[in-house]
Amino acid sequence: QVQLVESGGSLVQAGGSLRLSCAASGRAFSTYTMGWFRQAPGKEREFVAAISWIGDSTAYADSVKGRFTASRDNAKNTVYLQMNSLKPGDTAVYYCAADLRLKSFSSAHYTPEAYDYWGQGTQVTVSS
């Protein structure tokens, strides 16, 4: 079993920054590809970012590219999402997710179906 706990969500003004954290329990965290997704009210869950198990590959949604950065510290079983230049459109519940099955980092990780475990989410609200 893997448990994921997100933290760091908050209310922030447009143009501000936040860093989300996702702490994982369970063995072999360093072998998981990790993803970040978000869901705004009335909208479907959407891909934000993904990072390979060793952290050498990342991918981002076009809407956050250049503003968000995913990173991980396998010694701490934690993955991060640094969010800069936040916009009101970034307002959503942010979820981290872990993929235990796929062996290669690929475009499959842009979809929720690639992930086996999910956190409970953390709210990010960006005011204008």
Side-chain angles (χ1 to χ4, degrees), residues 31 33 99-106 108-109 113-116:
T31 66
T33 292
D99 162 34
L100 277 64
R101 294 175 287 115
L102 301 178
K103 296 303 181 185
S104 299
F105 186 75
S106 72
H109 290 103
E113 290 74 21
Y115 298 89
D116 305 291

Side-chain angles (χ1 to χ4, degrees), residues 30-34 50-59 72 74 105:
S30 62
T31 66
Y32 309 160
T33 292
M34 299 295 294
I51 184 166
S52 63
W53 66 274
I54 200 172
D56 59 342
S57 295
T58 53
R72 66 191 295 162
N74 286 342
F105 186 75

Side-chain angles (χ1 to χ4, degrees), residues 13 15 38 78 88 96:
Q13 287 189 334
R38 66 187 182 186
T78 302
C96 69

Side-chain angles (χ1 to χ4, degrees), residues 19-84:
R19 187 176 81 156
L20 305 183
S21 300
C22 172
S25 63
R27 59 185 178 89
F29 170 79
S30 62
T31 66
Y32 309 160
T33 292
M34 299 295 294
W36 286 97
F37 288 76
R38 66 187 182 186
Q39 188 165 18
K43 295 187 176 181
E44 293 187 354
R45 191 168 297 192
E46 66 173 357
F47 170 75
V48 176
I51 184 166
S52 63
W53 66 274
I54 200 172
D56 59 342
S57 295
T58 53
Y60 300 93
D62 288 343
S63 59
V64 307
K65 202 170 292 183
R67 300 188 298 123
F68 290 11
T69 302
S71 62
R72 66 191 295 162
D73 185 339
N74 286 342
K76 296 182 178 180
N77 280 15
T78 302
V79 63
Y80 305 97
L81 185 67
Q82 177 67 43
M83 306 187 296
N84 298 328

